[in-house]
Amino acid sequence: MTQNSSLCDMTAVALRADIAAGHVSARDVTAAHLARIDACNPHVNAVVTLDAEGALARALLADERQAAGQPLGLLHGLPILHKDSFLTAGMRTTYGSPLYRDFVPDRDSLIVTRERAAGAITLGKTNLPEFGAGSQTFNPVFGATRNPYDLRLTAGGSSGGAAAALAARMAPLADGTDMGGSLRNPASFCNVVGLRPSPGRVPQWPTANPYNALTVAGPMARTVADVALLLAATAGADARDPLAIEQDPARFLDSLSRDFKGVRIAYAPTWGGLPVEAAVVQVLERQLPVFADLGAQVEPACPDFTGADAAFQALRGQTFAVGYEAVLREHRHLLKDSVIWNIELGLQQPAAAVVQAERDRAALFARMHAFMQQHEFLIGPVSQVLPFPVEQETVSAIEGMPMHNYIDWMRSGYYLSLTGHPAISVPCGFSDAGLPVGIQIVGRYRQEHALLQLAHAFEQATQYWRQAPVLPH
């Protein structure tokens, strides 16, 4: 293995240490990842806008700052990829829509500003479904993103380009968003780590809907420690986000080691009766003894998710209506059917549906809070299915049970979005067919650090993140 390709296999934490120690330069690290993108992206289609020249220039500046003895940011010299729904000043941002095919913003989204301020080197943008709608990454601008572990299959979504790029070792860090599972589903499908933080943990600006607690921004990487590092660089209050949490993000740099003796963990293999493919449950159950080995007590238990389906659909529809009503009115012919359906649902649903959704969400939060007093963590599948063919737009049935719309199959993700509790997808193993499966770990309200600690302990015990895909050269 060449020095350059081995750099692409290193974690962000290890790269950061080697750069700081002078063992390798930011330029070397950036060049290695650009070469990796050049070799792998044609097969995977994860990176849709690449700025190789700009990345090398930014890396040179990072090396010059280091040589001058200037303080180094948390992400100094680390290559990063931004989801194509985040604004990047001077770099195309398309949202996966023909409407924005040539849109070049003049400012950055806040998360991008923070990543760059921490010293990260922007490589480019990652693919997503049109307007981030759905957990299958394809759009009419760039086509579909393929799963690095099986190029015939989807990488999931909506942060599918990010997950596929991380799995293929094209970057050590990536960002994404999550409304119904978009940081978690693709992480599960691609054997990487995706954290859905608490609403407000990573402030969002600009946004058309600043009081929307369903959609969050968050970190993705191949290891839990790398996700914690990126969270530390992107969390923290900002007065432009009314939901922003005022806690010191440095807490996420604290040790991930912890004793789990006697800790109670609830195991919900079907999230209270959802259809789940047998192969998914099989992978999870093989790993349950890991938690017992850590000293934890695992017991079957699940919160009561009554009302969650109708509540999520109503609130999601409202969010789409707030964000995209004008787009529907002026450019309906350029939108995919599922986006049109979601916007129209928001515009046409009776007020009583939204009122009931808020009542049901409040009741669910109260039940979840009570449940999490009895269990510090809750575990179950990230996705109810294994990765499916890339030509298939969505999942029509699971274990014989029909799905009624394009996001029905994502309930294992969006149930937790509704409660606002932090949730993480961590590699959990592979099906008999060799496909990745993630485990979803849910923590107590706003307790991301404890969640990261359990996720880290599980990862260290299992080491599935090391199993890289084999891609054509």
Side-chain angles (χ1 to χ4, degrees), residues 31 44 79 170 224-225 371 397:
V44 177
M170 296 187 217
V224 175
F371 183 88

Side-chain angles (χ1 to χ4, degrees), residues 134-135 157 180-182 185 384 406-415:
S135 199
S182 291
N185 265 343
Q384 296 158 243
Y406 78 108
I407 49 173
D408 242 10
W409 66 278
M410 296 163 58
R411 280 177 279 181
S412 55
Y414 74 61
Y415 277 10

Side-chain angles (χ1 to χ4, degrees), residues 57-148:
R58 287 184 282 274
L60 174 60
L61 282 174
D63 288 335
E64 289 173 347
R65 281 196 297 271
Q66 183 171 348
Q70 294 181 19
L72 306 183
L74 280 181
L75 308 180
H76 172 77
L78 296 177
I80 194 165
L81 289 162
H82 308 298
K83 188 172 181 177
D84 203 21
S85 54
F86 289 128
L87 299 177
T88 40
M91 184 185 293
R92 179 174 59 172
T93 301
T94 75
Y95 309 96
S97 165
L99 269 172
Y100 292 95
R101 186 189 300 269
D102 303 310
F103 172 57
V104 179
D106 58 4
R107 59 184 175 179
D108 289 335
S109 288
L110 177 59
I111 191 171
V112 175
T113 300
R114 288 186 169 179
E115 289 159 345
R116 289 180 172 175
I121 309 295
T122 294
L123 300 179
K125 307 297 284 287
T126 58
N127 207 18
L128 77 170
E130 185 178 328
F131 293 117
S135 199
Q136 215 284 45
T137 295
F138 67 96
N139 62 60
V141 184
F142 300 115
T145 295
R146 294 175 179 271
N147 193 312

Side-chain angles (χ1 to χ4, degrees), residues 429-447:
F430 293 81
S431 72
D432 293 343
L435 300 179
V437 174
I439 187 169
Q440 183 166 208
I441 309 175
V442 184
R444 286 177 171 162
Y445 192 63
R446 292 188 173 175
Q447 297 298 311

Side-chain angles (χ1 to χ4, degrees), residues 126-258:
T126 58
N127 207 18
L128 77 170
E130 185 178 328
F131 293 117
S135 199
Q136 215 284 45
T137 295
F138 67 96
N139 62 60
V141 184
F142 300 115
T145 295
R146 294 175 179 271
N147 193 312
Y149 287 88
D150 187 331
L151 295 173
R152 298 167 299 178
L153 307 180
T154 176
S158 63
S159 308
L166 289 165
R169 276 56 179 167
M170 296 187 217
L173 298 173
D175 53 38
T177 57
D178 185 306
M179 187 187 206
S182 291
L183 282 158
R184 294 162 286 158
N185 265 343
S188 175
F189 278 13
C190 294
N191 197 49
V192 300
V193 181
L195 170 68
R196 177 191 165 89
S198 307
R201 178 66 70 193
V202 178
Q204 298 182 82
W205 180 88
T207 170
N209 202 353
Y211 289 95
N212 166 25
L214 286 181
T215 305
V216 301
M220 300 179 78
R222 287 190 295 273
T223 70
V224 175
D226 287 358
V227 159
L229 178 69
L230 186 51
L231 185 63
T234 52
D238 187 285
R240 292 168 296 184
D241 183 339
L243 302 183
I245 297 171
E246 299 208 17
Q247 288 176 344
D248 185 356
R251 60 172 43 202
F252 303 117
L253 300 174
D254 292 345
S255 173
L256 293 177
S257 298
R258 178 182 158 186

Side-chain angles (χ1 to χ4, degrees), residues 192-394:
V192 300
V193 181
L195 170 68
R196 177 191 165 89
S198 307
R201 178 66 70 193
V202 178
Q204 298 182 82
W205 180 88
T207 170
N209 202 353
Y211 289 95
N212 166 25
L214 286 181
T215 305
V216 301
M220 300 179 78
R222 287 190 295 273
T223 70
V224 175
D226 287 358
V227 159
L229 178 69
L230 186 51
L231 185 63
T234 52
D238 187 285
R240 292 168 296 184
D241 183 339
L243 302 183
I245 297 171
E246 299 208 17
Q247 288 176 344
D248 185 356
R251 60 172 43 202
F252 303 117
L253 300 174
D254 292 345
S255 173
L256 293 177
S257 298
R258 178 182 158 186
D259 181 2
F260 288 96
K261 188 169 171 39
V263 168
R264 294 181 69 191
I265 299 176
Y267 172 52
T270 66
W271 297 111
L274 298 179
V276 181
E277 285 181 357
V280 172
V281 177
Q282 187 178 47
V283 171
L284 258 62
E285 307 228 315
R286 284 184 200 139
Q287 302 307 325
L288 287 183
V290 171
F291 295 100
D293 292 344
L294 293 172
Q297 298 173 3
V298 179
E299 54 201 45
C302 185
D304 177 2
F305 288 107
T306 300
D309 286 312
F312 182 80
Q313 296 290 0
L315 296 169
R316 179 184 172 94
Q318 178 178 293
T319 299
F320 268 75
V322 169
Y324 304 118
E325 179 184 13
V327 173
L328 177 68
R329 193 170 56 243
E330 297 164 20
H331 305 285
R332 183 189 184 98
H333 64 291
L334 292 177
L335 300 178
K336 68 177 180 180
D337 290 346
S338 51
V339 171
I340 293 172
W341 169 77
N342 240 143
I343 301 168
E344 290 188 333
L345 172 67
L347 293 172
Q348 296 167 7
Q349 65 187 353
V354 180
V355 170
Q356 189 59 45
E358 291 293 4
R359 288 185 186 128
D360 287 339
R361 173 159 64 171
L364 171 58
F365 180 79
R367 293 194 301 270
M368 185 74 172
H369 176 77
F371 183 88
M372 297 302 282
Q373 301 316 296
Q374 304 303 313
H375 308 87
E376 188 176 349
F377 302 99
L378 170 61
I379 60 175
V382 176
S383 177
Q384 296 158 243
V385 297
L386 293 172
F388 51 88
V390 73
E391 299 82 12
Q392 188 180 317
E393 183 168 337
T394 187

